[in-house]
Each structure stands twice: as C-alpha cells, then as structure tokens.
Amino acid sequence: MARQYLVGVDIGGTNLKVGLVTPAGEVKAYTTRPTRLDGGWAGVVDQVEELVAALLQQQGLSLTAVGGLGVGVPGTVRLPQGEVLFAPNLKWENVPLLATLSTRLPVPVRLDNDAHVAALGEYWRGAGQGYGSVLLLTLGTGIGTAFLWRGRVFRGRAGLGSEMGHMVIDPAGPLCGCGNRGCLEALAAAPALERLAHRLLAAGLSSRLTCAGNWGVGEVFAAAAAGDEVGQKVVEEMVGHLAVGLANAVVLIDPEVIILGGGISGSADLFLPALSEEVARRVGRMAYPPPTIVPAALGNLAGILGAAYLVRGELGEDE
Ligand SMILES: [Zn+2]
C-alpha cells in the first residue's frame, strides 16, 4: 500500500494529540487525550503507540500507509539524536524518545521542540504561509519561541534555537526559573500576569476579580475587555514588556512576520493593536517598517501539522 499519510504527534503537558495528515497538510483525522503522566516517559510512549494504532484503525488503515511520524515535545531536544534533554512540564530528563519511538513504530520518526513545531505548522498551513522569515512566540504558562528562516528552524550553535522567553527585559525584574531576573517569561507569561493582578488587587485597584477568587489569566483578560481597572492594567503592563522583547527581536533579525500563539493569543484582539503600535514606535526612528504581528491561525492543530511537517520528506528541515 502506498505510504500516503504523515502522522503528527503533539505531546503537551496537559494533552496528547495525534493526527493523520495528508502530504498537502490537511488534517484527515485526529484524536486527543489527557497526557498520561503517571507512568513516566515510557507511559507516554505507550500512549502514543496506542493512539496512533487507534487512529489508523478508525480510518481503516495500517502503519504501512504512514510515510513518517513527527513529534513535538515541550522541552529541549538534542538533534539529531532526538533526545529530550529537559521537559519540565512532563518531568522528563534525558529521554531517548526518538530511538524508543523508532523501535515501537517502524517508520521514519523525527522530533523537535513544540515551539519549533508550532512555527513549522503555521508556516506550512497557517499565519506564516509565504513568509521568508517568521518569528513565533507561544504565550502561555511559559513563552516558547522559534525563528524560521526560509522555512527552516534557525538553531544556532547548540541547536536550541531562540529562547526569547529568557530574553532579559528588566535586569531588576522578578526572578525567572532560569536563574536570571526580568526575563520576558517572568514578566509576560500567564503566571506572571496572574501574580501582577493579585498585586494590583492587594494595592486596592478596583476590579470584579477578588483576592480570594479562583481565577486565571483568561478571567483577567475577560475583565480587561469589560473595562476592569486591574484587567486593563495587566494588559497594559504585558504589552509594555512584550513590546520591548519584540522590538529587540526586530533590531536583531527584522522578521517578515511575528506570530503570537499559545493560550494568551486567544485574547489577541484585546492587545494586538496597542502592541503593534508600541513595537513600531520603538523601532520606527531607525527606519524599520512597522512589524507585521498576527495571531496564530491554526489553534490546536498547529502542533499536529508542524510535527507532520518534520517528516514531509523532501522538505524535511534538518539533517
Ligand atoms: Zn529566564
């Protein structure tokens, strides 16, 4: 039987998604389950194998229809060995994921960091189509980044690529998990925004949120949209920090498009105009054109599509 499909696997700290993708980048079918975290990495490998088998069976197919399996992982991946060096949300360290999956699923397997994979997905079928240089940030619990140059992940010397989440925005700012102070992630990722909202509430700003309430960044954005003082102040601060980071990126690489993905990008309507304006203001005197900043277009499917893109054969993006 012809190998007519690619399989894209998106291993997240919360959900595991597996999709069957055509060579043209259409998701034919996909399935998602809560990631099985209690069995360590071997449990997740089992789960990947089970979900791939179930998806193929549901489509009346077998592994002989699959040309390759691509995997996105929320952590640092050493290539080409395909070792996951560190994935904090999965509590993985030094996991030989590529070698293990290759044994279990006898098709070509490739893996990469989830932000790299999301950027490749957006480049292939989403907001990055047709752009020669793409900077993607995933704004969520953390901040992941990827810079694509002509459809390939720019990896740098160590192969890690860009980590703008740890670009220092304010050297006197809050401590970051990486040991430095004032990283973009420590200022503008979801936990930082929630802490800021709590501080503003404690300082007495008016809000429909309460100090004791069980709310997250989604509720903070919803409050901001409704004109809430705390919500709007949080958005304003986030825009300020993101604008510094993006302006730094523009003066370094001047990407053709900047794509914002991740959970926070769902509220992009709320902050994108102000963010674009502030980045343009910061770089305009140097004659950079106003940057094109857009929300990601693929939502939940970016990881599946980008992972499939890794094994797209002639367009495979690293050697
Ligand atoms: Zn950091």
Side-chain angles (χ1 to χ4, degrees):
M1 189 195 293
R3 294 188 180 274
Q4 53 195 321
Y5 294 110
L6 307 168
V7 171
V9 178
D10 180 0
I11 301 178
T14 308
N15 290 308
L16 175 63
K17 305 186 194 84
V18 175
L20 198 59
V21 178
T22 71
E26 305 290 341
V27 178
K28 180 176 163 66
Y30 80 100
T31 182
T32 177
R33 295 276 187 286
T35 309
R36 196 183 294 159
L37 294 172
D38 50 6
W41 67 271
V44 176
V45 168
D46 287 345
Q47 195 180 15
V48 169
E49 193 180 5
E50 287 162 24
L51 287 185
V52 169
L55 190 63
L56 289 171
Q57 189 181 27
Q58 175 208 328
Q59 297 295 315
L61 298 166
S62 72
L63 206 56
T64 57
V66 174
L69 180 105
V71 185
V73 185
T76 310
V77 179
R78 176 189 283 154
L79 296 172
Q81 299 92 325
E83 271 175 37
V84 182
L85 298 180
F86 182 51
N89 292 333
L90 300 170
K91 301 190 172 66
W92 289 7
E93 274 185 63
N94 302 316
V95 171
L97 188 61
L98 178 61
T100 309
L101 280 173
S102 298
T103 313
R104 304 282 285 272
L105 295 157
V107 293
V109 180
R110 284 187 168 198
L111 57 126
D112 207 338
N113 160 271
D114 59 352
H116 293 171
V117 161
L120 290 169
E122 292 288 340
Y123 173 75
W124 192 16
R125 298 292 306 180
Q129 285 182 73
Y131 288 104
S133 55
V134 175
L135 176 67
L136 174 134
L137 284 79
T138 58
L139 307 173
T141 310
I143 294 182
T145 52
F147 177 55
L148 304 187
W149 170 245
R150 296 179 176 166
R152 289 171 173 242
V153 177
F154 185 86
R155 296 187 185 281
R157 187 178 62 164
L160 305 180
S162 60
E163 282 287 1
M164 268 186 67
H166 300 288
M167 175 185 277
V168 174
I169 305 299
D170 175 6
L175 196 60
C176 179
C178 74
N180 295 303
R181 286 194 171 276
C183 292
L184 186 60
E185 183 168 295
L187 290 165
L193 301 177
E194 288 160 8
R195 280 194 299 273
L196 173 61
H198 275 286
R199 281 202 304 279
L200 295 170
L201 285 170
L205 272 72
S206 76
S207 181
R208 69 187 201 188
L209 306 168
T210 61
C211 284
N214 182 22
W215 40 263
V217 73
E219 285 76 24
V220 177
F221 283 119
D228 188 273
E229 190 181 12
V230 165
Q232 290 190 333
K233 182 71 180 162
V234 169
V235 170
E236 191 183 304
E237 292 264 322
M238 181 193 75
V239 164
H241 296 313
L242 275 177
V244 173
L246 295 183
N248 287 346
V250 169
V251 296
L252 187 63
I253 53 177
D254 190 22
E256 286 175 30
V257 66
I258 297 171
I259 301 174
L260 303 182
I264 289 176
S265 70
S267 304
D269 286 356
L270 201 61
F271 62 83
L272 213 46
L275 179 63
S276 301
E277 195 176 307
E278 178 59 10
V279 179
R281 188 190 67 78
R282 285 183 167 274
V283 301
R285 289 281 287 277
M286 290 167 285
Y288 287 103
T292 303
I293 308 177
V294 299
L298 298 175
N300 275 336
L301 297 179
I304 287 173
L305 281 164
Y309 189 85
L310 293 176
V311 283
R312 201 176 155 229
E314 73 282 3
L315 293 180
E317 54 76 61
D318 62 81
E319 304 302 325

